[in-house]
Amino acid sequence: QVQLVESGGGLVQAGGSLRLSCAASGLTFRTYTMGWFRQAPGKEREFVAAIGWSSSNQLYADSVKGRFTISRDNAKNSVYLQMNSLKPEDTAVYYCAADLGGVRPGFNAANYDYWGQGTQVTVSS
């Protein structure tokens, strides 16, 4: 009964900020790599950011590096994505995911075992 639930999505103006949260049940984050992916209509799922069991190990897509920050709170079984300087091209459904076997953050979606249902982020011009 592993479940990941995203929250924090919404409508924001270009240049604004938004903070996404992902709460997990049925597992703990202590030894799992956690990631964020996004998917816009008509496009394939795209890697955004990932964080290892140690928060010092992080990986970002070039398109969001310097604007987005991933973090985790293992005691709360939660992972977060702080999104700043948002652009219209950031508009997508954002998903959190858990990689149970990973020791380092990775960009390959096939390595992730559990997925949330997603939260919509819309950035207006």
Side-chain angles (χ1 to χ4, degrees):
Q1 65 269 20
V2 173
Q3 186 176 8
L4 305 178
V5 180
E6 302 94 338
S7 62
L11 176 64
V12 65
Q13 188 176 352
S17 298
L18 209 58
R19 185 172 186 258
L20 305 183
S21 299
C22 175
S25 62
L27 79 163
T28 63
F29 288 3
R30 288 178 294 178
T31 60
Y32 301 154
T33 289
M34 300 296 299
W36 286 96
F37 294 78
R38 65 188 182 187
Q39 187 167 23
K43 296 184 178 180
E44 294 184 351
R45 184 167 46 188
E46 175 188 19
F47 171 77
V48 177
I51 185 168
W53 69 270
S54 172
S55 295
S56 62
N57 297 322
Q58 300 180 8
L59 183 67
Y60 295 92
D62 289 341
S63 60
V64 306
K65 191 173 184 179
R67 299 188 298 120
F68 291 9
T69 302
I70 189 171
S71 61
R72 66 192 293 163
D73 187 335
N74 292 334
K76 297 181 179 179
N77 280 4
S78 296
V79 63
Y80 309 95
L81 186 68
Q82 178 66 47
M83 304 185 294
N84 298 326
S85 301
L86 283 162
K87 305 174 181 179
E89 51 262 44
D90 295 319
T91 295
V93 177
Y94 283 71
Y95 301 90
C96 67
D99 178 2
L100 276 61
V103 297
R104 296 184 179 91
F107 60 84
N108 190 349
N111 290 333
Y112 289 79
D113 302 282
Y114 297 100
W115 296 82
Q117 293 300 306
T119 185
Q120 177 70 49
V121 172
T122 302
V123 184
S124 64
S125 300

